[in-house]
C-alpha cells in the first residue's frame, strides 16, 4: 500500500477526538478503537488478478466533519426527486412518504441515527452483515466513518415506492470520504432501495463506501446500486447482505465509474431457504481498472444463490469479475449458480471472468459459466455494411451484450436510466 | 443516374497464411435502372466480388478500381461505401443477439441523416409497416434480435427488408434465392421488383434460372475462374440451365475444372 499519511498514534488520537466531539456513545468509541486495531494488524484483502497496493486509497486525514454545498447541473435534477440526498458528509434532503412515516419507517443519516436510534445502530452496525475483523478495509471504514444513510423498515411493513438515495462524493476540495450505510429490513418487511453514488469536482479523492443490508426472516429487499463516480475518484466499495430464514435479497449493480474501483459485493445466506440474486453490469474504459468480487455463501439449507454479470472493456482498461460461490457444509439442498461474461472492444483491453466455486456439501446444485470474448468481426462488418458508423455499431453491440442483464431488471424506469447511463458512459469515452 | 464501374479488379484471400488470387481481372459496369445477373460455378469468385465491392476486410485488392460515379471506393471504409449508396444482401448474414431488428434499421437510416435530424418514430414505423407488408413479414419479426434464430429463408427475407428500408442506389444480392421455398421466392422477388426504377440498379448472383423468371435481368454475366467470361441477355441463363458450364468452357477454350467433370 502507498505510504500511509498517518502513524497509528496520530490516527487513534484523531479518531478519539472526532468521536468525542460528536458525543458518540461509549460502545461506538470502543468499536472504532477495535476497528482501528484490526486495520493496523490485518493484511489488505486480496482481489484476485489485481494489485491495488499503489492506488491512492490511503490518502486520508484524521476524521473531521466537512460541510458540503449542494450540487448543480444534471445531478441536481436527480437530487430533487430523492428521499435521501447527501453531498460529502452533509445530508441535504430527507423525505419519506407519510404512510411510511406512520408505519414507523426510519430514514435518516447515520449520525442522527446514532444519536436517536442508538440501540438499533448498536444491534446491527458491524454485528451481522459485516464484522470488525473481516478485513482491513472494512475495519478502516468503521474506524473512520463520518456519515451514511440509515434505513429501518419495521416488522411486516411493505413499502411499495422505492426509497431513492443519492450520495455525492465531494471532489471540489480534497477530503476524506468514509461512508457507512445501514439498511435493516425487519421480519416480514419489504423494501426497494436505489442507491446512486456519484461525484462532483475535480480534485482527486479516495471514496470508501460500505453498505450493510440485514434482511431479517421473510423479508424481501431489492437493492439497486448505480455507481457513476468520476475518474478522479479511487474507490473501495463494499455492499454486504445478511439473510435470515426465507429472506430474499435482490441486488442490481451498475458499475459505471470512470476511476479505479475495487468492489466487494457479498451476501451471506444464513437462514434456511433464503435467496440472493445478484445482477451486475459494468463498463471499463480508457486506462481504468475496475475489479468486482461478487460472493454469495450458502450457509442455510435450501438456500439459493444466483449471480449474473456482464461487463464491457474498451481502450486500455481492465475489468475483473471474480464470482465466488461458496456452499458451506450443512447447507443441504443449496443451489449456487453464476454466469460472468465480458466483452472486449479493443486489443489492449484486459479482462478476467473467474468463477470460483467452493463446495463443501454433497446434495447441492452448483453451476457456472464464464466467457471473455471480442466483438465478432463478421458482426461488426455486417453492421458497418448498412452504413452504421463504427462507434454507433460498437454501441449497438455493447447495448446488445448488456441487454442480457438489463432486460432482467425489475423496474422499467431503472432499465431506461441504465440505458442512458451506458450511452453517456460510452460517448464520454469517445470524446475524451 | 449513377454508375458503378469495376475496372480490372484483382483480389486475393489468405489461405493457410498464403495469398491466393481469386479475382483475376473483373470488368463490369452497372447503371441505375439496370438489372444484372452473375452466374457461375461454385468457388469461382462471385461472393468474393460482392464482398470486395462492399469492403469486407477479408478480401485484399491486388489491383483495380471500384468507381461509383467516378469516385474510387477502394480507400473508403465499409460504412462509407454503404452511405455512398451500396448495399449487399449477404449470402451468410451475421446474427447479433441483443440488437433488435428495429434498433438496427433505425440506426442504419439515421446514419444517412444529419445528427440533429433523426427520423421521427412515427415515420419510421409507418415505413416499416409498409415494407413488412410487401414481404409478408410479421411485426414480431422486426422486434426480434437481428437474424438471431432466423431460419435460412427468414434471413433472406430480412436482407430484403433492409434493402427496402435503406433504399440504396445499387444492391448486390448474393444468392438471395438459395434456401427459399417457392412462395418465399415470389415474395422476395416482389420486394426487389418494388425497388425497380431509374434510381436503382441490381446485381444478382444466382445459380438458378428460376429467380430470373421473377426478376428479369437486362444482362447476364458468366463468371468462371475469377473472370467474367461471357455477357448476354436473359436468354443466356436459359442456355446455361440447359447446357451447364462445360459447354461454355470448352467453347471459350478455358482451362477450368468443373464439378461435373468427375461424372463425365
Ligand atoms: N474469406 C475467405 N478466406 C479464404 N478463402 C476464401 C474466402 N472467401 C472465399 N474464399 C475462397 O475463394 C474462392 C471463391 O469463393 P467465393 O465465395 O467467391 O465463390 P462463389 O463463386 O461465391 O461460390 P458459391 O457459388 O459456392 O457461392 C473459393 O475457393 C473460396 O474457398
Ligand atoms: Mg458465393
Amino acid at each position: 500500500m502507498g505510504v500511509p499519511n498517518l502513524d497509528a498514534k496520530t490516527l487513534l488520537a484523531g479518531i478519539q477526538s472526532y468521536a468525542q466531539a460528536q458525543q458518540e456513545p461509549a460502545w461506538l468509541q470502543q468499536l472504532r478503537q477495535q476497528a482501528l486495531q484490526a486495520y493496523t494488524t490485518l493484511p489488505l484483502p486480496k482481489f484476485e488478478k489485481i494489485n491495488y497496493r499503489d492506488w491512492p486509497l490511503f490518502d486520508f486525514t484524521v476524521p473531521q466533519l466537512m460541510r458540503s454545498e449542494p450540487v448543480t447541473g444534471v445531478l441536481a435534477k436527480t437530487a430533487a426527486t430523492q428521499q435521501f440526498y447527501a453531498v460529502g458528509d452533509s445530508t441535504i434532503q430527507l423525505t419519506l412518504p407519510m404512510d411510511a412515516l406512520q408505519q414507523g419507517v426510519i430514514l435518516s443519516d447515520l449520525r442522527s441515527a446514532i444519536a436517536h436510534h442508538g440501540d438499533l445502530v448498536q444491534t446491527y452496525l458491524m454485528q451481522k452483515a459485516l464484522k470488525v475483523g473481516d478485513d482491513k478495509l472494512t475495519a478502516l471504514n468503521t474506524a473512520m466513518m463520518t456519515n451514511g444513510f440509515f434505513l429501518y423498515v419495521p416488522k411486516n411493513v411493505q413499502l411499495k415506492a422505492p426509497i431513492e438515495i443519492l450520495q455525492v462524493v465531494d471532489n471540489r476540495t480534497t477530503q476524506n470520504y468514509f461512508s457507512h450505510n445501514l439498511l435493516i429490513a425487519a421480519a416480514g418487511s419489504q423494501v426497494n432501495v436505489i442507491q446512486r453514488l456519484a461525484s462532483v469536482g475535480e480534485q482527486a479523492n479516495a471514496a470508501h463506501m460500505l453498505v450493510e443490508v440485514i434482511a431479517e426472516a421473510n423479508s424481501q429487499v431489492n437493492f439497486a446500486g448505480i455507481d457513476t463516480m468520476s475518474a478522479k475518484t479511487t474507490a473501495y466499495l463494499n455492499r454486504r447482505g445478511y439473510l435470515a430464514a426465507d429472506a430474499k435479497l435482490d441486488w442490481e449493480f451498475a458499475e459505471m465509474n470512470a476511476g479505479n474501483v475495487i468492489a466487494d459485493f457479498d451476501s451471506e445466506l444464513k437462514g434456511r431457504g433464503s435467496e440472493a440474486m445478484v445482477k451486475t453490469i459494468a463498463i471499463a474504459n480508457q486506462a481504468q481498472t475496475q475489479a468486482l468480487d461478487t460472493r454469495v455463501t450458502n450457509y442455510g439449507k435450501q438456500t439459493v444463490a444466483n449471480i449474473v454479470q456482464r461487463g464491457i472493456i474498451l481502450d486500455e482498461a481492465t475489468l475483473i469479475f471474480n464470482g465466488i460461490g461458496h456452499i458451506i457444509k450443512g447447507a443441504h439442498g443449496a443451489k449456487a449458480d453464476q454466469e460472468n461474461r465480458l466483452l472486449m472492444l479493443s486489443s489492449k483491453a484486459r479482462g478476467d471472468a473467474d468463477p470460483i466455486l467452493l463446495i463443501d456439501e454433497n446434495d447441492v446444485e452448483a453451476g457456472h459459466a464464464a466467457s471473455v470474448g471480442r466483438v465478432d468481426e463478421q458482426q461488426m462488418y455486417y453492421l458497418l455494411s448498412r452504413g452504421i458508423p463504427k462507434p454507433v455499431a460498437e454501441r449497438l453491440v455493447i447495448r446488445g451484450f448488456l441487454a442480457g442483464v438489463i432486460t432482467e431488471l425489475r423496474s422499467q424506469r431503472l432499465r431506461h436510466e441504465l440505458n442512458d447511463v451506458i450511452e453517456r458512459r460510452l460517448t464520454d469515452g469517445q470524446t475524451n | 443516374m449513377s454508375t458503378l464501374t469495376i475496372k480490372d479488379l484483382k483480389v486475393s484471400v489468405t489461405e493457410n497464411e498464403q495469398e491466393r488470387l481469386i479475382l483475376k481481372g473483373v470488368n463490369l459496369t452497372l447503371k441505375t435502372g439496370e438489372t444484372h445477373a452473375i452466374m457461375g460455378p461454385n468457388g469461382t469468385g462471385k461472393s468474393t466480388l460482392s464482398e470486395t465491392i462492399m469492403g469486407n476486410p477479408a478480401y485484399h485488392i491486388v489491383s483495380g478500381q471500384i468507381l461509383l460515379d467516378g469516385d474510387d471506393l477502394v480507400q473508403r471504409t465499409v460504412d462509407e461505401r454503404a452511405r455512398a449508396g451500396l448495399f449487399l444482401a449477404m449470402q451468410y448474414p451475421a446474427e447479433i443477439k441483443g440488437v433488435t431488428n428495429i434498433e438496427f434499421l433505425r440506426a442504419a437510416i439515421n446514419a444517412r441523416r444529419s445528427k440533429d435530424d433523426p427520423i421521427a418514430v412515427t415515420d419510421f414505423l409507418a415505413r416499416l409497416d409498409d415494407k413488412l407488408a410487401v414481404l409478408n413479414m410479421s411485426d414480431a419479426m422486426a422486434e426480434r434480435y437481428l437474424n438471431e434464430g432466423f431460419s435460412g429463408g427468414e434471413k433472406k427475407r430480412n436482407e430484403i427488408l433492409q434493402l427496402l428500408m435503406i433504399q440504396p442506389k445499387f444492391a448486390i444480392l448474393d444468392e438471395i434465392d438459395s434456401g427459399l421455398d417457392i412462395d418465399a421466392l415470389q415474395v422476395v422477388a416482389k420486394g426487389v421488383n418494388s425497388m425497380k426504377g431509374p434510381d436503382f440498379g441490381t446485381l444478382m448472383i444466382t445459380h438458378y434460372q428460376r429467380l430470373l423468371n421473377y426478376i428479369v435481368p437486362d444482362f447476364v454475366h458468366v463468371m468462371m475462374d475469377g473472370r467474367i467470361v461471357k455477357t448476354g441477355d436473359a436468354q443466356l441463363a436459359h442456355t446455361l440451365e440447359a447446357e451447364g458450364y462445360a459447354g461454355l468452357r470448352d467453347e471459350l477454350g478455358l482451362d477450368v475444372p468443373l464439378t461435373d467433370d468427375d461424372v463425365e
Side-chain angles (χ1 to χ4, degrees), chain A residues 98-345:
Chain A
M98 190 50 83
D99 67 320
L101 280 172
Q102 281 166 348
Q103 295 180 91
V105 175
I106 304 166
L107 177 63
S108 77
D109 62 16
L110 185 68
R111 268 189 294 144
S112 44
I114 292 165
H116 300 111
H117 307 283
D119 292 353
L120 277 175
V121 179
Q122 187 179 3
T123 308
Y124 290 102
L125 185 79
M126 295 304 278
Q127 304 303 320
K128 284 202 145 176
L130 289 164
K131 292 200 177 93
V132 169
D134 278 355
D135 67 67
K136 191 183 189 77
L137 292 171
T138 49
L140 174 66
N141 182 298
T142 307
M144 294 288 294
M145 62 193 176
T146 43
N147 218 343
F149 72 78
F150 175 85
L151 174 60
Y152 178 79
V153 187
K155 209 170 162 182
N156 294 330
V157 171
Q158 308 194 340
L159 292 179
K160 290 274 172 305
I163 304 283
E164 301 199 32
I165 293 164
L166 171 65
Q167 292 166 307
V168 183
V169 178
D170 193 350
N171 292 341
R172 291 172 295 194
T173 62
T174 305
Q175 54 179 268
N176 290 359
Y177 190 79
F178 286 96
S179 161
H180 200 123
N181 307 280
L182 201 49
L183 190 174
I184 302 140
S189 67
Q190 274 185 27
V191 62
N192 291 295
V193 174
I194 303 171
Q195 181 197 24
R196 297 181 178 83
L197 186 60
S199 66
V200 60
E202 291 303 316
Q203 302 302 313
N205 279 319
H208 292 251
M209 198 285 304
L210 307 189
V211 181
E212 298 187 67
V213 174
I214 295 97
E216 294 289 17
N218 269 309
S219 65
Q220 160 101 44
V221 179
N222 298 326
F223 191 107
I226 303 174
D227 303 329
T228 57
M229 292 173 290
S230 72
K232 295 288 186 183
T233 321
T234 303
Y236 168 65
L237 310 177
N238 189 319
R239 294 186 175 100
R240 174 74 58 93
Y242 168 98
L243 289 84
D246 297 313
K248 288 197 172 57
L249 175 53
D250 209 336
W251 298 105
E252 295 176 340
F253 298 123
E255 294 314 308
M256 300 288 150
N257 310 293
N260 288 346
V261 174
I262 44 174
D264 225 328
F265 297 146
D266 300 345
S267 306
E268 318 282 10
L269 302 177
K270 292 279 187 178
R272 182 192 186 111
S274 56
E275 295 184 20
M277 170 89 211
V278 189
K279 297 173 215 138
T280 307
I281 56 170
I283 296 180
N285 70 4
Q286 301 186 38
Q288 168 193 25
T289 295
Q290 294 202 84
L292 279 67
D293 276 15
T294 307
R295 171 176 64 80
V296 182
T297 303
N298 304 67
Y299 296 88
K301 294 183 177 118
Q302 264 94 42
T303 47
V304 180
N306 232 310
I307 301 172
V308 182
Q309 313 198 85
R310 291 254 204 290
I312 299 282
I313 321 170
L314 303 110
D315 311 324
E316 295 156 68
T318 302
L319 182 58
I320 313 275
F321 281 155
N322 294 310
I324 304 137
H326 191 175
I327 300 182
I328 303 284
K329 186 138 193 65
H332 298 283
K335 290 183 189 168
D337 201 50
Q338 59 171 303
E339 184 189 320
N340 304 302
R341 299 196 187 282
L342 290 170
L343 181 67
M344 298 197 274
L345 280 105

Side-chain angles (χ1 to χ4, degrees), chain B residues 46-47 91 174-175 205:
Chain B
K46 302 181 299 294
S47 294
Q91 190 171 358
D174 194 353
E175 295 200 22
I205 292 167

Side-chain angles (χ1 to χ4, degrees), chain A residues 310 376-390 392 396-397 399-401 403-404 407, chain B residues 51 54 56 78-79 82-83 87-88 90 93-96 98-99 103-104 107-108 111-112 147 159 162:
Chain A
R310 291 254 204 290
D376 181 283
E377 236 184 82
Q378 282 308 309
Q379 292 181 337
M380 195 46 84
Y381 165 63
Y382 189 66
L383 296 171
L384 295 176
S385 81
R386 301 313 186 223
I388 301 172
K390 192 158 181 212
V392 180
L396 275 176
V397 171
R399 284 242 306 274
F401 183 78
T407 51
Chain B
E51 295 287 353
M54 200 65 240
N56 186 332
V78 176
D79 56 313
R83 292 195 300 274
F87 181 92
L88 170 60
M90 297 190 193
E95 299 187 5
I96 306 181
V99 178
E103 273 185 290
F104 166 66
R112 290 161 172 80
N147 292 330
E159 293 291 284
Q162 295 169 38

Side-chain angles (χ1 to χ4, degrees), chain B residues 81-149:
Chain B
R81 295 179 198 204
R83 292 195 300 274
L86 300 189
F87 181 92
L88 170 60
M90 297 190 193
Q91 190 171 358
Y92 305 107
E95 299 187 5
I96 306 181
K97 197 182 166 148
V99 178
T100 64
N101 234 339
I102 288 196
E103 273 185 290
F104 166 66
L105 286 168
R106 265 246 296 278
I109 288 171
N110 284 333
R112 290 161 172 80
R113 301 168 65 104
S114 81
K115 225 187 171 127
D116 42 22
D117 181 34
I119 186 167
V121 178
T122 46
D123 293 350
F124 172 79
L125 290 177
R127 182 144 135 204
L128 182 63
D129 276 348
D130 188 40
K131 305 305 180 195
L132 284 170
V134 172
L135 296 170
N136 287 355
M137 287 172 75
S138 66
D139 291 354
M141 203 78 161
E143 276 157 31
R144 276 170 66 176
Y145 290 145
L146 185 49
N147 292 330
E148 208 217 5

